[in-house]
Amino acid sequence: MIKAIESELYKISKNENYDEDVYCIEIKETGCYINVFKEELNELIGLLEKAKDIL
């Protein structure tokens, strides 16, 4: 089973501290991270797409 996926800037892994599916998205340079519930991923992706187009 894959434990994490990584790019040069980010690491995404499953957070095992929750009973539900929760993903930890870490900014490698700073070590800062957010936890995102699986059912919220589409909302986050949509928001990022909007930010890319607007900002």
Side-chain angles (χ1 to χ4, degrees), residues 9-54:
L9 300 174
Y10 301 98
K11 177 180 177 182
I12 301 174
S13 59
K14 187 168 181 193
N15 189 326
E16 300 293 338
N17 294 326
Y18 293 86
D19 291 335
E20 301 176 56
D21 287 338
V22 175
Y23 299 94
C24 178
I25 303 170
E26 177 185 354
I27 302 168
K28 292 168 103 176
E29 185 175 304
T30 63
C32 295
Y33 65 90
I34 61 170
N35 288 311
V36 180
F37 287 90
K38 185 176 184 177
E39 62 269 7
E40 297 172 351
L41 280 175
N42 285 336
E43 182 178 344
L44 177 59
I45 292 167
L47 187 61
L48 290 169
E49 287 291 330
K50 285 181 185 176
K52 182 178 76 172
D53 294 338
I54 295 172

